Amino acid sequence: MKILFIGTGHMGSAILEQYANKNKDNEIFILNRNLENSKLLAEKNNVRYLTDLTEIKNIKFDIFIIGVRPIDCAKLFESLDEIDISNSLIISMVNALSIESILNSFKNSLNLSVIRMIPNMNAIIGKSLTSYTTFGDNKTLLNCGLEILKSFGKVFEITEDKYPSFVTLTGTSPAYIFEFLKAFEQFGLENNYDHKFLKELIAEQIISTVENWKNNDKETEMLIKEICVPNGSTIAGYNVLLKEKFLETVMKCLNASKEKC
Ligand SMILES: NC(=O)c1ccc[n+]([C@@H]2O[C@H](COP(=O)([O-])OP(=O)(O)OC[C@H]3O[C@@H](n4cnc5c(N)ncnc54)[C@H](OP(=O)(O)O)[C@@H]3O)[C@@H](O)[C@H]2O)c1
């Protein structure tokens, strides 16, 4: 099959890198607005690049992976539809863009299949949690599409009404988790720790705490209480989180994201 990645920015390039490394059977092409970006990525991942969208008139692509921002979608879909991409599969990672709105953008192109998916940036290490929904009955194309999704992490099939909350928990949350990590990093740097050692220390601490939480039957509240002994140093810090409404702030953050998904 012939696969075209359109828009290989932060997310598109993360996915491309994982898939290109694992792919054996399919021909991969990329198309970017910035040609230099395309040349560099094509060389790095051993794939081909197009210089212009009109080139697809001469190459029959089976799968289009859409990695442009929401604001660039309408124009791109209009151009693709003018060229006519009937019988192909569109894999869209565009946030908040439903399958219905994707299909409504195509008037000339018939018999389209669609996979709506939302990956997250952990795709860069092959550990995305990707939600997806499919449309269409071309099993060969859809199965090939799902193989692409599986190449960069775990996949979860969900109904479209679940996107806002699911995408908040999986797609957008790495940014909030990074912000949390940033506080530990900043504290360590202020206390003169070597950066490399600091990263290892913080990562080990977070990973083991999460493992403990995941495998523990106790309520999260109880786990906190067991560490926060009266008059100790932990509760001194924890009281600051309560006073500054840490939990409420994170909940506000998650709800704001959900509103936009
Ligand atoms: N970043 C995330 O964590 C994340 C998570 C889940 C879903 N997504 C979705 O993934 C998509 C991309 O996000 P991103 O963070 O990767 O954005 P990004 O870094 O801005 O990448 C978008 C890329 O698309 C290129 N582009 C725009 N219009 C194009 C066109 N007509 N033809 C070819 N290339 C075009 C842009 O080129 P220029 O640089 O020239 O503008 C840019 O390189 C978005 O729809 C977003 O909702 C992102």
Side-chain angles (χ1 to χ4, degrees):
M1 295 219 191
K2 289 192 170 63
I3 299 167
L4 176 62
F5 282 74
I6 306 182
T8 46
H10 296 104
M11 186 50 82
S13 63
I15 289 172
L16 168 74
E17 191 154 335
Q18 290 296 319
Y19 182 59
N21 261 318
K22 290 164 192 153
N23 167 58
K24 287 189 186 76
D25 306 319
N26 299 311
E27 288 178 68
I28 306 174
F29 294 71
I30 60 174
L31 172 66
N32 260 296
R33 206 147 48 184
N34 179 324
L35 189 58
E36 284 313 305
N37 176 336
S38 291
K39 284 182 185 165
L40 287 173
L41 274 176
E43 193 176 343
K44 185 175 173 208
N45 295 292
N46 201 18
V47 300
R48 283 184 265 173
Y49 65 89
L50 305 185
T51 54
D52 191 274
L53 193 63
T54 54
E55 284 183 63
I56 72 171
K57 287 178 184 165
N58 307 319
I59 309 169
K60 164 83 185 83
F61 282 102
D62 303 285
I63 300 180
F64 295 88
I65 302 181
I66 310 297
V68 305
R69 290 194 175 169
I71 196 169
D72 292 313
C73 262
K75 193 152 188 316
L76 172 65
F77 287 168
E78 201 182 304
S79 310
L80 284 170
D81 196 35
E82 266 171 31
I83 295 166
D84 188 355
I85 58 161
S86 293
N87 304 310
S88 62
L89 166 66
I90 295 173
I91 301 181
S92 163
M93 67 184 84
V94 181
N95 189 22
L97 192 65
S98 68
I99 289 181
E100 190 182 5
S101 29
I102 294 171
L103 290 170
N104 284 342
S105 310
F106 291 87
K107 307 276 182 271
N108 302 318
S109 309
L110 306 174
N111 195 26
L112 292 173
S113 303
V114 180
I115 297 179
R116 176 184 179 186
M117 64 131 167
I118 293 290
N120 71 35
M121 267 322 240
N122 296 333
I124 213 157
I125 51 166
K127 291 203 167 180
S128 171
L129 299 184
T130 304
S131 46
Y132 77 91
T133 313
T134 63
F135 170 87
D137 41 29
N138 187 329
K139 292 268 177 290
T140 312
L141 273 182
L142 290 171
N143 285 339
C144 183
L146 289 181
E147 285 312 306
I148 298 174
L149 267 56
K150 287 177 191 164
S151 73
F152 51 85
K154 288 189 182 161
V155 298
F156 299 89
E157 185 169 18
I158 62 169
T159 51
E160 285 201 286
D161 58 307
K162 275 272 177 283
Y163 271 82
S165 57
F166 205 93
V167 171
T168 297
L169 287 169
T170 61
T172 64
S173 64
Y176 317 140
I177 296 168
F178 285 141
E179 179 69 17
F180 182 68
L181 290 173
K182 208 169 82 186
F184 285 84
E185 188 180 33
Q186 200 165 311
F187 175 83
L189 290 174
E190 278 176 16
N191 285 279
N192 302 320
Y193 283 81
D194 167 73
H195 196 209
K196 190 164 174 272
F197 171 74
L198 187 60
K199 279 187 97 167
E200 270 174 33
L201 193 73
I202 296 169
E204 204 54 47
Q205 172 71 345
I206 303 268
I207 290 166
S208 51
T209 307
V210 170
E211 262 176 31
N212 179 4
W213 174 77
K214 190 179 159 196
N215 298 316
N216 211 310
D217 291 337
K218 290 177 189 163
E219 298 281 324
T220 310
E221 191 64 37
M222 181 54 71
L223 292 174
I224 298 170
K225 278 200 179 120
E226 284 177 357
I227 312 172
C228 284
V229 291
N231 299 319
S233 54
T234 313
I235 199 153
Y238 188 64
N239 280 338
V240 176
L241 293 184
L242 292 182
K243 185 162 169 276
E244 301 291 335
K245 300 198 179 307
F246 177 74
L247 188 133
E248 289 84 344
T249 305
V250 176
M251 286 295 289
K252 272 191 201 165
C253 150
L254 297 175
N255 278 310
S257 164
K258 185 180 160 199
E259 287 287 303
K260 288 279 270 181
C261 285

